[in-house]
Amino acid sequence: MAASRADRTLRALAAALFAAALSACATPAPTPVGSALEPLSTLSAQVPDDADIVARDLAASALAEPRVTSQVLLARLELIEHQREAAGELPTGLVPAATDLVNATLDNPITYRAATRELLERDDLPEGLHKRLEADVDDDPLRLADRRMRDALIKDTAEIFNALARPLSRMALSPLMGGIAMAQSLLSLALSERMEDPLEFRERQALAHWKHFLDAHPDAPEAPGIALRTEETQERWNETRRNHYLRDARAALRLKNWDVAFLLADRAERYAPEDHDAIEIRERAAVEIATIRTGEARSLQADPIALELDARPGARELAIALLLPRSDLEGAALELLESDPDGPLADEARYALALSHHEVRGATSGTEDGGWNVLGGVSDQLGEANMARHAQALVNSPRANPWAAFKKARARDRLDKVKWVMFGPMAKGPRRRDLPRPVEWLIDLPGIIQSLSSFPTRLAQFAFIKPWPFGRATAIHARQYLNHRPKGAHAHEISDWLQDWHGDRGNWLAAWEVATDQEEEEAGGGWFPDLRARAARQALDGAKKQKAGDMRLSLLRRVAGSFHDTDAGREAASLARDELMKATTQRIRISRGFLLENPGVAGPDGLALRPELLDGDTSNGELHPQGVILAGGQVLEFNYVGESGRMRKPATVRRQRVSGERLSRLVALLDETALNNYLEDPGDILGADSKRDLFFERARLGVADTPDRRPEARSTYSFLGMRERYGVVRGREPILPFDIVFTGSLPDLSFNVYPRMRAPRPTPDAVLFR
């Protein structure tokens, strides 16, 4: 046994020595010496032939001469093409583009689309031109409107099919449970139909297309029929807007936001004149607004008798004491009360006395609650007097009395926790469906029963909820208290609660800021260094996620300065130094995958990259997956595979300044290639980036040698290959509009399989119509 253990040890030692020897003998991947670029290809001067001359004349005539001239030149170009074909020469490929140019001179979009459809029947169209012409043909308002209406019909059909498919599949296994599920599905379907807008957003898109067609072609043969459909659909759109405004107005009434309710009801009446519901809401809101304004006016009314300050002993002194910050307010109030305890200014004197007790005596931490108790007492004592309402408003104000607001919010938060554990998603009652509340409770009764049955599960999950969803309002009042009274009687209690709350949510940076404000470190808390380290790590992680280079550098500097004695602070300082050394005015990346999939960009007509950098052989130098970076100005940054020879390891970076001509060629070909790729395959997305486009335009004009150093001019766009974007296998859209869904439940050991119909995907502009 001992011998076998010794043999295994010797074998392991020999294997380790052999691996070390191999690694020592391995040749590291070299970094290319010299330039990564080859000389630019020179374009030799060519004598234009007859086709080139005709194409030039055609381009000029399309801009400045009658269309018949362009048609004559197009016929001449087609004749030259036939002659070349008869002579066995290669075609010029100019005819499709020239035909599209002549078609573009048509004034009527309908005629242009008809001519384009005829052009699409040719078999010699380049792929990019073919895709663009298809998009032009599809850009027909009537065709787009028909598609949106068809999508709306398919969506409605899918909702009905999906609502029935699942309960029908359950009825095959359990008729009773399937019948219950069918009843619930039918009820849900009816409710969703009631809550749905009279005009669905796809129909709104169709309405916009019909209006566009009528504006562009009022005399078209289809115009009368389209106008009738537009009028009918517009009525449903007005009803939709009316319903939206009324729904929001009712919500404002529930919140007693009378001004908003009045405004929304008025807008609803614009879409439905003399609407009974809108008029009722507006009149009720108007009454409440008038009541509030009457009360405000009564509060601001000045009693002429009370203004005769000189006629009452102590009145003038009290007024002065109320205005001056460091005056004897208590003495002035007592003097006025003693001289005229039942006079017209007695209420004001009692309020001023209570205010003095609150501000002066309550300034010390021991009597803070006593000051608020005095104010509350004078509010009860004065009854319906104006000063009683002022005192009550001060006591109930969350800004003036954050401690009371904190206690109320914490009690309400505890109740919310209990309700959530007991009822789960039904803790706030049934979903509002603009129905009578008892009906809404009845509709959600099955969900309430299910929520009650899952009570043990929520009780077990309660301590592990992330992020913590409770206590937001309580935290706001706690923060207000600490801001106004950092040395108050309840400051330590509130600080401890707020730190625990932020800790439960994983927001260590906020917890550390609260602890720092309360000077907990001086109190000798042993947990403070750990909290500081966690806060530093969280701040560093946030800085790393920042995409804007200037903002990222600023955040790294802040972390390094605020947490210099932590590991995260030292890492932030190191990253900030690297960021400064690597900072560039631009960061436009051309990945290795993009260069491999688009060799023309890397070839002699574009970047003119040395071929061995993309041959997959690391022994002669190889481009890293990071590829080439346009670093601003005329500087390119080349990322090579490091000495490890592994693509996933950090790259070795070299920078090289190139000529303006090379940069101009590169950006022009890069932009054209990306656009053609998108036309041929919509999955190869060319993202919008105005900063990238500005840099490309400067490079084309030959003025990129002076870099734009503004942070807001820096682009970080990346040109990626399709494999880098989608992986080895790219998903395809299924032909059939159905999915097979498998569902199961462990508690009741049930299993179900049913089909689900997919609704059409919203178009990119759908967000404008929701």
Side-chain angles (χ1 to χ4, degrees):
M1 182 71 178
S4 61
R5 186 180 296 116
D7 290 342
R8 288 196 298 269
T9 304
L10 289 174
R11 293 194 196 100
L13 180 60
L17 292 174
F18 181 71
L22 285 179
S23 62
C25 297
T27 303
T31 300
V33 178
S35 174
L37 305 173
E38 294 183 329
L40 284 175
S41 62
T42 57
L43 301 177
S44 60
Q46 296 182 357
V47 179
D49 57 11
D50 294 341
D52 295 329
I53 295 174
V54 174
R56 179 203 63 188
D57 296 339
L58 176 58
S61 68
L63 295 174
E65 297 183 16
R67 185 170 183 272
V68 63
T69 305
S70 301
Q71 290 176 319
V72 171
L73 292 171
L74 176 60
R76 188 180 303 172
L77 186 60
E78 290 176 342
L79 178 60
I80 294 174
E81 194 78 358
H82 289 313
Q83 292 174 351
R84 292 174 65 95
E85 183 180 356
E89 299 178 7
L90 293 176
T92 62
L94 295 173
V95 174
T99 306
D100 179 49
L101 177 61
V102 175
N103 292 342
T105 61
L106 293 167
D107 295 332
N108 193 331
I110 297 178
T111 308
Y112 168 74
R113 285 189 288 269
T116 303
R117 277 192 289 268
E118 182 179 350
L119 177 58
L120 283 170
E121 296 178 0
R122 298 179 63 105
D123 57 1
D124 59 345
L125 294 179
E127 186 66 21
L129 179 60
H130 193 279
K131 292 291 185 181
R132 183 177 66 78
L133 294 178
E134 285 184 341
D136 290 343
V137 171
D138 290 339
D139 191 20
D140 181 357
L142 296 184
R143 178 177 292 191
L144 293 173
D146 290 342
R147 288 181 179 176
R148 299 293 80 78
M149 295 298 291
R150 184 194 62 188
D151 290 347
L153 178 61
I154 295 176
K155 188 269 299 181
D156 293 339
T157 305
E159 288 182 350
I160 298 174
F161 180 88
N162 296 335
L164 301 179
R166 184 173 183 177
L168 283 175
S169 63
R170 292 189 65 182
M171 289 179 68
L173 301 177
S174 175
L176 177 61
M177 298 303 297
I180 296 175
M182 176 64 74
Q184 291 178 341
S185 296
L186 292 176
L187 180 60
S188 299
L189 188 63
L191 288 174
S192 64
E193 181 66 24
R194 183 191 181 280
M195 296 181 63
E196 188 173 355
D197 292 331
L199 194 68
E200 196 256 352
F201 78 89
R202 296 176 179 86
E203 296 174 307
R204 300 173 201 171
Q205 291 178 289
L207 176 61
H209 292 309
W210 287 332
K211 289 182 177 179
H212 174 66
F213 176 83
L214 292 176
D215 292 340
H217 312 288
D219 300 327
E222 305 93 336
I226 299 300
L228 181 60
R229 297 184 68 180
T230 301
E231 183 178 354
E232 296 173 352
T233 310
Q234 183 66 42
E235 292 179 0
R236 289 196 289 146
W237 171 237
N238 292 341
E239 183 183 358
T240 300
R241 298 299 293 164
R242 174 257 185 196
N243 293 346
H244 286 183
Y245 282 125
L246 279 183
R247 180 188 61 201
D248 296 341
R250 293 190 182 100
L253 283 182
R254 288 194 295 268
L255 298 175
K256 297 183 178 181
N257 198 340
W258 313 116
D259 292 338
V260 175
F262 181 90
L263 178 62
L264 293 174
D266 184 68
R267 290 186 177 180
E269 196 175 1
R270 295 180 188 177
Y271 288 94
E274 300 182 4
D275 184 82
H276 178 268
D277 294 336
I279 294 174
E280 181 181 355
I281 294 175
R282 188 182 61 182
E283 290 178 350
R284 178 184 173 187
V287 170
E288 297 293 343
I289 292 172
T291 303
I292 292 174
R293 290 178 178 175
T294 302
E296 291 175 348
R298 185 166 62 89
S299 297
L300 297 176
Q301 284 178 353
D303 188 353
I305 299 177
L307 292 178
E308 299 174 2
L309 299 180
D310 294 335
R312 287 170 176 77
R316 184 180 184 86
E317 289 74 8
L318 178 60
I320 295 175
L322 285 169
L323 295 175
L324 297 179
R326 297 181 180 178
S327 59
D328 186 10
L329 180 61
E330 182 179 359
L334 287 173
E335 180 181 354
L336 180 59
L337 276 176
E338 292 174 357
S339 63
D340 193 2
D342 299 322
L345 297 180
D347 291 346
E348 283 76 2
R350 292 185 179 91
Y351 174 77
L353 184 62
L355 196 64
S356 172
H357 289 178
H358 167 67
E359 293 181 351
V360 178
R361 297 182 181 181
T364 59
S365 60
T367 58
E368 179 180 320
D369 293 339
W372 286 111
N373 293 335
V374 170
L375 269 177
V378 77
S379 172
D380 299 335
Q381 180 183 0
L382 296 179
E384 296 296 328
N386 285 347
M387 303 315 297
R389 291 189 291 110
H390 285 298
Q392 191 63 39
L394 194 62
V395 171
N396 294 334
S397 171
R399 294 183 61 86
N401 191 6
W403 170 245
F406 171 81
K407 291 192 297 182
K408 292 179 182 178
R410 186 168 56 176
R412 188 165 53 248
D413 189 54
R414 289 169 179 166
L415 179 60
D416 289 342
K417 294 176 185 177
V418 174
K419 290 167 63 177
W420 182 85
V421 172
M422 292 293 298
F423 303 104
M426 304 300 297
K428 295 183 179 180
R431 176 185 173 190
R432 291 197 174 273
R433 299 180 175 88
D434 204 14
L435 294 171
R437 202 59 177 160
V439 177
E440 293 176 342
W441 277 100
L442 183 62
I443 292 172
D444 283 343
L445 184 60
I448 297 174
I449 297 174
Q450 185 176 3
S451 296
L452 289 173
S453 64
S454 58
F455 161 74
T457 304
R458 286 191 300 275
L459 186 62
Q461 295 175 345
F462 180 73
F464 306 99
I465 300 177
K466 296 294 181 181
W468 191 249
F470 305 103
R472 293 180 181 272
T474 313
I476 292 175
H477 298 311
R479 188 73 260 184
Q480 288 178 344
Y481 183 94
L482 294 178
N483 290 339
H484 291 291
R485 297 180 179 85
K487 303 295 183 183
H490 309 285
H492 287 290
E493 178 183 352
I494 287 182
S495 176
D496 292 341
W497 182 91
L498 193 56
Q499 290 175 51
D500 292 340
W501 184 77
H502 284 306
D504 291 338
R505 295 175 58 84
N507 193 353
W508 304 109
L509 188 59
W512 173 77
E513 290 176 352
V514 173
T516 303
D517 293 342
Q518 292 300 303
E519 300 179 357
E520 296 290 349
E521 186 176 18
E522 296 180 1
W527 47 265
F528 191 85
D530 179 63
L531 178 61
R532 180 178 173 82
R534 292 187 178 186
R537 180 57 58 183
Q538 184 182 26
L540 177 60
D541 293 341
K544 289 179 179 179
K545 294 177 182 178
Q546 180 58 244
K547 294 183 178 180
D550 56 325
M551 184 63 69
R552 182 170 59 250
L553 179 60
S554 176
L555 292 176
L556 288 173
R557 285 176 168 174
R558 182 176 179 181
V559 175
S562 301
F563 304 98
H564 56 87
D565 55 344
T566 64
D567 293 338
R570 288 184 284 271
E571 183 180 349
S574 176
L575 291 175
R577 286 192 297 270
D578 295 341
E579 193 82 20
L580 282 173
M581 294 179 63
K582 298 177 181 178
T584 57
T585 56
Q586 296 291 336
R587 202 73 186 168
I588 302 174
R589 176 189 168 206
I590 311 173
S591 72
R592 171 189 169 88
F594 185 89
L595 293 173
L596 288 173
E597 294 178 13
N598 302 276
V601 177
D605 293 334
L607 182 59
L609 192 68
R610 285 163 50 182
E612 61 267 21
L613 296 179
L614 294 173
D615 61 0
D617 185 3
T618 57
S619 63
N620 60 2
E622 192 69 15
L623 198 65
H624 191 270
Q626 284 292 321
V628 181
I629 306 294
L630 278 66
Q634 295 179 352
V635 178
L636 300 182
E637 188 176 284
F638 296 92
N639 294 269
Y640 301 109
V641 175
E643 294 184 354
S644 65
R646 297 180 180 179
M647 293 285 187
R648 296 185 179 181
K649 294 294 183 180
T652 300
V653 180
R654 296 288 185 271
R655 290 181 182 176
Q656 181 177 342
R657 185 178 180 85
V658 299
S659 65
E661 180 183 1
R662 187 187 296 268
L663 183 63
S664 178
R665 282 195 192 185
L666 172 61
V667 299
L669 188 58
L670 182 62
D671 201 17
E672 181 181 358
T673 302
L675 180 59
N676 286 333
N677 290 346
Y678 173 70
L679 289 174
E680 295 176 8
D681 185 354
D684 196 352
I685 301 172
L686 177 61
D689 191 326
S690 59
K691 302 172 185 178
R692 173 204 65 202
D693 296 339
L694 176 60
F695 174 74
F696 279 12
E697 191 62 28
R698 288 170 57 87
R700 290 191 189 96
L701 296 174
V703 295
D705 54 333
T706 304
D708 189 346
R709 302 186 181 279
R710 296 174 302 154
E712 58 269 20
R714 187 174 190 262
S715 172
T716 57
Y717 188 82
S718 295
F719 291 91
L720 303 177
M722 293 294 285
R723 178 164 292 190
E724 293 171 309
R725 195 187 302 272
Y726 295 105
V728 178
V729 179
R730 179 183 172 189
R732 295 290 181 180
E733 189 71 22
I735 298 176
L736 297 178
F738 293 96
D739 296 323
I740 302 299
V741 181
F742 298 86
T743 61
S745 175
L746 289 177
D748 53 8
L749 299 178
S750 63
F751 181 75
N752 196 13
V753 182
Y754 59 93
R756 182 176 61 189
M757 186 176 179
R758 291 193 305 274
R761 292 182 179 179
T763 57
D765 63 338
V767 65
L768 303 175
F769 298 89
R770 290 186 182 275

